Amino acid sequence: MPALIEAKNVTKIFGGGLLDKSRTVALKDFSFQIDSDNPSVTSIVGESGSGKTTLARMLLGLAAPTEGEVLYNGKNLEKLGGSDRRQFLRDVQVIFQDPFEVYNPFYRIDHVLETPIKNFKLADTEKGRRDLMIESLEAVGIRPEEILGRFPHELSGGQRQRIMVARALLLRPKLIIADEPVSMVDASLRATILGSLLRLNREFGISLIYITHDLTTAFQVSEDIMVLYRGSLAEAGDVDQVVRHPEHPYTRLLVGSIPLPDPDLPWEGERAIGRPAGELGVQGDEYCQFHDRCPYAMPMCVQTHPPLFHTHPNRVTSCYLYRESPELPMPQMTSIFKSSNREGPPEETEQLDALDAELEVSQENSSTPTSADD
Amino acid sequence: MVEETLSAEEPTAAELKETLKVEDLHVYFHTAAGAVKAVNGVSFSLKSGERFGLVGESGSGKSTIALSLLRLIKPPGKIEGGHVFLNGTDLVTLTEEQMRRKRLDEIALVAQGAMNSLNPVRRIRDQFILAYKDHDIDVKRSGLEERIGDLLTRVGLNREVANMFPHELSGGMKQRVCIALAISLSPSVIIADEPTSALDVVVQWQVMDTLRSVQEDLGASVILIGHDMGLMAQFVDRLGVMYAGKLVEIATVRDMFGDPLHPYGQMLIASLPSLESRKARLEGIPGITPSLLNPPSGCPFHTRCPKVMDHCSSVTPILQEVRPDHWVACHLYEEA
């Protein structure tokens, strides 16, 4: 059975030809797939310019890869026919970063929920429509009577983002791609939004791709993680192992730079900003993207791009420090993910119990918001 | 009218010199719907060389405090009452011209969006020269080039950056330029309002490391404003927690993270994600921030507080020192 969605050796280049200075390789030779049978939660982590949003846009069919292809149920996304395309638009939903810009300020909140119901003919009657809306709002912990009939400006960023989650849920998709869904939301509301996303995964079997620059929340919500650096995969695998014992020097730097909320834990970063260009004699564009910042850079790092080394059953690292380990071809990368190696849904965690308790509390406590609340 | 919530005495050890002392500050924004009480009776003080953090959700008034300390509040906002003593002078009573001279010279701001605070059509050098001109420092003096170069080196940039335009610099470099500008007249207080919120985590470390080193060199005090508790834990000495225009807790950073007292502080600390354990609860703070147009009577947090008592909705708790150097405004800690 083909994967629900698969990126096959995709490369995305912005800008002109080889000699064009503005040519930017946003993502290079990247492969990745999401199964339809095993609902998974996968994080894609990287800084600005790492290619994480470019990857999301290609998986959504919003940008076409320069090389390689994106397949949906085994068919090329760019060549999907009418009914397949409709099914794709239903199966794969997205939640964007900015909960303020996605709403049309002239329409009531109901509009954003009614539109998909009408477009996909999810309900025939007015009552059916209303029931669907109420059901999915309640699933994300929002009291329908508090928000239906209101205008976007009357709601807080956290509420708006949760309504986006509810909108995605209406369509019962197989996959939700969330691109920085909490980066514009207050810290105290982040947990609630991520919680409602996790709930969709556990209760409705929806896979999640969580795209973020924040390693801490990625660690909290996902099973598997991919760390991107300047368009290439640096490291991927089981989130516990990658975050707690990072291998790639870039991941180590990233983990060390996180200011942890405990004054007794160390905070270490990178004081020197790069080594002089050309010190290692870079030729062509086949090199490790991190070599100019890497404390362990070796001559081989600038000769060929490091392949993926299969360092542990559940992880790979694209770094020559691990060249003793067997290589794993990029297209097989996803096979190391925990989600690909288990039967059925992920284990129940205490996270979810805590979440249920919390959602109940927030249902009871949340009072009517006013426009002045943020 | 300033409401009479008498704030308690200063939460500091008296033996150290106080560089900045804020007393019962009230800042309101006058809107058509009424006065929005953005800062509603805030008092704290800053020792010389100390790093003090102010945290709170958006709308809690923390950035308004930053702007008030610099007297940069624009109408409809207005400082309605209180005092801001900087090295003994009450900034609230100064004329506009006197205040202009204090800025940069004694108190400087590193703002949130570095990319927006530099003039895009001026070279970095000119931005320094403008600052000097404003403070009547002779810009033709030969030592000027040297001085700008030194400032840039101090924040970890090359001297050549002086010749560049802002668009030629990355976000992290621009923020360092802003730090260099802020320290150009050796102020005694630097206010950093979310200085790294637009930057990646690796660059964030570099900018904060730079800020720390220049602050230690100058012996200046820093007020770091933000909502990233991790950043606070790693950077500041003492932390104040804002809620709905009021300071509800002030403690040393160790006490705040190890033993928060105010229910809001406790929930804030509990909602922090950690890298220790994935079993940690994904817990937010239920409910929403109250409207500052009509703040709740009594304790502003009583509408969301899990430990709410009868008199919380009627009596405003006073910020009191319940343990050495640990101040909290909550009825739970009042002696019966």
Side-chain angles (χ1 to χ4, degrees), chain A residues 48 186 219-220 222 264 358, chain B residues 57-58 200 254 274 278 282:
Chain A
S48 354
D186 239 19
F219 176 71
Q220 294 292 332
S222 61
D264 294 318
E358 189 215 323
Chain B
E57 294 168 58
S58 11
D200 283 322
R254 277 207 170 69
S274 86
R278 276 163 53 74
L282 261 180

Side-chain angles (χ1 to χ4, degrees), chain B residues 180-314:
Chain B
L181 271 167
I183 60 164
S184 55
L185 298 179
S186 308
S188 47
V189 176
I190 302 170
I191 298 174
D193 186 2
E194 307 218 20
T196 56
S197 64
L199 303 175
D200 283 322
V201 57
V202 175
V203 186
Q204 164 175 286
W205 183 88
Q206 292 164 350
V207 168
M208 295 313 290
D209 184 57
T210 305
L211 185 59
R212 180 175 357 219
S213 75
V214 301
Q215 173 254 338
E216 283 173 356
D217 283 356
L218 290 176
S221 316
V222 170
I223 300 181
L224 177 67
I225 290 170
H227 60 249
D228 183 342
M229 293 294 275
L231 200 56
M232 293 295 170
Q234 298 293 341
F235 189 82
V236 302
D237 305 318
R238 269 191 322 138
L239 191 58
V241 178
M242 295 281 303
Y243 186 79
K246 285 179 185 292
L247 265 173
V248 295
E249 186 163 1
I250 302 177
T252 63
V253 73
R254 277 207 170 69
D255 284 349
M256 188 64 85
F257 283 89
D259 188 17
L261 295 178
H262 197 283
Y264 177 66
Q266 289 169 348
M267 292 171 91
L268 201 63
I269 301 290
S271 71
L272 297 174
S274 86
L275 291 183
E276 290 292 299
S277 156
R278 276 163 53 74
K279 301 280 187 222
R281 294 179 58 175
L282 261 180
E283 188 180 32
I285 299 178
I288 53 161
T289 335
S291 154
L292 295 172
L293 202 55
N294 285 307
S297 57
C299 170
F301 192 59
H302 83 260
T303 54
R304 294 164 81 183
C305 184
K307 297 175 183 165
V308 64
M309 300 175 290
D310 288 345
H311 58 304
C312 291
S313 56
S314 53

